[in-house]
Amino acid sequence: MLTPSAVRNAKPKAKAYKLTDGRGMYLLVKPDGARWWRFDYRRPVIAKRNTLSLGTYPDVSLKKARVRREEARALLTDGIDPGDQRKAKAEAEADTFEAIAREWHAKHAPNWSADHADRIMTRLEKDVFPWIGRKPIANLTAPDVLGILRRVDARGARDTAHRVHQHCGQVFRYAVATGRASIDPTPALRGAIPPTRTKHHASITDPDRVGELLRAIDGYQGSNVTRAALQLAPLAFVRPGELRQAEWSEFDLDKAEWRIPAERMKMNAPHIVPLAGQAVAILRDLAPLTGSGRYLFPGLRTRARPMSENTVNAALRRMGFDRDTMTGHGFRSMASTLLNEQGWHRDAIERQLAHAERDAVRAAYNYAEHLPERRKMMQAWADYLDSLRLSPGKVVPIKRKA
């Protein structure tokens, strides 16, 4: 039998060799210095010789290796092959809901924005994995998933419950496609959770009120960086996350153009934002403050990260616009509503909003062909916003597309 000191002092040689402990167990010492615990046994029924790994030293001590050996011998006494049992356990663990969900997420994440991918995984980790993550996906039923959805809905997060339902269905369908499950039980749950009441982002679209908002932004008494973000928001009307994470490397002020890379866009496609002269002026004024760093709008605590997602909304509240009146996302609705009312081409507006196109050919057409029109539209829009800053009754109508 081996002793702990004999195991500890085992030195590598030119060829691998064994140090026997008895009852089928030995320490295999390899030329590279690795030391493996092994257990040789005869398989039940067919009496074929087989070897089972018990782990590596020093992670597995001599005492622990002996415990594992005796566990394996006990299985053999009951007619169970310990190697087959380990393989079955590994396969079962590989086919759990969590393992397959993470595999599905890893395959699709490259096609999503980083924020979107993070949101999906956060929902799964918070609301799904703790309850069914370790269960074999093939054994899960509709009631198992319904229990999760009801738990989420009970805390007042009905929209999240519907999204979790959608994510679970995608994971189940992936499992079916890869042969690890036979059915997707989630369609049976349609209607089990009441529908979510549609809640639109609060937005100001009345021209007089828009003018009031713009004047309030110009007079904002907080951070100069925050004021610049507020001033750029209506001119670019990008999503709040795209605005606050804007990087100087994405801008060409001489060409009056902002090119947002695909990985930062919700639909994972690059987006061009033509910049009106007013937007370029704002950015040139901002450059001395933040131009030496990465972000246009760095955080207050560290310039290594962008401003908080709450900064713009907090500034709006400070100026007297509550969450039922105006939000950072509301600048998009403002632009969409007024530009459509003024008669601009719907496709140009949708392209500028970076909304997804179901038809790939149509999407390519919009991306390439509407850029000149979008440049014209964005400058006319900026001029229109300037006119709204005047007192009511002096608004200059936006120039429609020729």
Side-chain angles (χ1 to χ4, degrees):
M1 293 179 63
L2 291 173
T3 63
S5 61
V7 174
R8 184 172 58 253
N9 296 323
K11 305 297 182 184
K13 298 180 180 180
K15 293 183 178 181
Y17 67 95
K18 301 177 182 179
L19 294 177
T20 302
D21 185 63
R23 297 171 69 82
M25 190 180 87
Y26 56 90
L27 182 71
L28 179 65
V29 184
K30 296 188 175 183
D32 61 2
R35 288 168 284 186
W36 289 80
W37 294 112
R38 296 288 175 84
F39 172 60
D40 286 348
Y41 65 95
R42 296 283 179 180
R43 301 187 65 173
V45 183
I46 60 175
K48 181 180 179 181
R49 182 180 178 278
N50 203 4
T51 299
L52 184 72
S53 172
L54 302 178
T56 60
Y57 181 85
D59 294 333
V60 178
S61 65
L62 173 60
K63 181 178 180 180
K64 192 170 184 178
R66 285 172 175 167
V67 170
R68 292 183 177 181
R69 174 190 62 193
E70 295 309 311
E71 290 174 347
R73 290 178 62 84
L75 290 172
L76 287 168
T77 300
D78 293 334
I80 300 172
D81 186 326
D84 288 348
Q85 187 192 61
R86 176 179 293 180
K87 182 179 179 181
K89 183 179 179 181
E91 290 176 349
E93 291 177 350
D95 289 345
T96 62
F97 184 92
E98 179 173 349
I100 294 175
R102 290 188 182 278
E103 181 182 321
W104 163 79
H105 186 273
K107 287 186 177 295
H108 289 278
N111 298 320
W112 301 327
S113 69
D115 285 347
H116 183 60
D118 287 345
R119 281 193 295 271
I120 291 176
M121 183 51 66
T122 297
R123 292 186 192 117
L124 292 171
E125 291 177 340
K126 179 181 178 181
D127 296 317
V128 182
F129 294 165
W131 288 274
I132 65 171
R134 296 182 181 180
K135 296 182 180 181
I137 196 168
N139 297 343
L140 291 172
T141 63
D144 293 322
V145 181
L146 180 59
I148 291 170
L149 303 183
R150 283 177 171 170
R151 186 177 290 107
V152 177
D153 186 43
R155 70 168 191 259
R158 181 158 294 172
D159 181 66
T160 300
H162 284 286
R163 293 180 187 277
V164 168
H165 184 193
Q166 177 186 11
H167 301 332
C168 287
Q170 291 169 319
V171 173
F172 275 111
R173 289 191 290 277
Y174 177 76
V176 171
T178 55
R180 266 102 41 105
S182 58
I183 61 168
D184 167 17
T186 60
L189 300 178
R190 290 184 184 133
I193 301 297
T196 304
R197 291 183 179 179
T198 303
K199 184 177 180 180
H200 299 286
H201 296 283
S203 176
I204 296 173
T205 56
D206 175 77
D208 286 345
R209 292 297 311 282
V210 171
E212 177 186 340
L213 172 63
L214 296 175
R215 290 190 293 273
I217 289 174
D218 291 342
Y220 180 67
Q221 297 300 306
S223 161
N224 290 330
V225 173
T226 301
R227 182 170 59 248
L230 288 164
Q231 291 173 325
L232 187 61
L235 293 171
F237 49 90
V238 294
R239 296 179 179 88
E242 295 156 8
L243 178 71
R244 71 182 184 86
Q245 297 179 53
E247 300 183 15
W248 282 108
S249 61
E250 299 167 359
F251 288 80
D252 188 329
L253 298 187
D254 292 332
K255 290 184 179 180
E257 192 170 272
W258 175 13
R259 289 180 175 259
I260 309 177
E263 58 269 21
R264 288 215 303 107
M265 295 298 298
K266 180 179 180 181
M267 306 314 299
N268 200 41
H271 182 49
I272 299 176
V273 181
L275 300 172
Q278 293 89 329
V280 172
I282 292 168
L283 296 175
R284 292 196 186 280
D285 285 343
L286 179 64
L289 295 176
T290 67
S292 60
R294 176 181 178 182
Y295 296 105
L296 271 69
F297 311 113
L300 295 176
R301 296 182 179 179
T302 173
R303 295 171 66 89
R305 299 181 63 181
M307 66 165 50
S308 164
E309 61 184 347
N310 299 318
T311 301
V312 167
N313 282 336
L316 289 169
R317 307 297 165 260
R318 183 176 176 181
M319 291 185 290
F321 300 93
D322 62 35
R323 63 181 180 181
D324 294 324
T325 302
M326 187 62 189
T327 64
H329 206 286
F331 289 109
R332 291 168 59 78
S333 299
M334 173 196 296
S336 177
T337 299
L338 293 176
L339 286 170
N340 274 292
E341 286 181 357
Q342 295 291 339
W344 288 89
H345 198 298
R346 178 180 175 276
D347 286 349
I349 298 170
E350 291 299 296
R351 179 65 258 177
Q352 195 53 53
L353 289 165
H355 285 162
E357 284 287 354
R358 295 182 180 179
D359 187 326
V361 175
R362 182 182 177 87
Y365 170 78
N366 283 347
Y367 185 82
E369 298 298 328
H370 282 289
L371 184 56
E373 183 176 353
R374 286 193 285 128
R375 292 187 188 280
K376 180 181 178 181
M377 179 182 72
M378 296 297 276
Q379 184 58 60
W381 170 246
D383 294 340
Y384 175 62
L385 292 181
D386 278 348
S387 76
L388 295 184
R389 286 181 168 85
L390 303 175
S391 59
K394 295 184 179 180
V395 174
V396 178
I398 187 171
K399 184 178 180 182
R400 287 183 173 83
K401 173 179 74 74

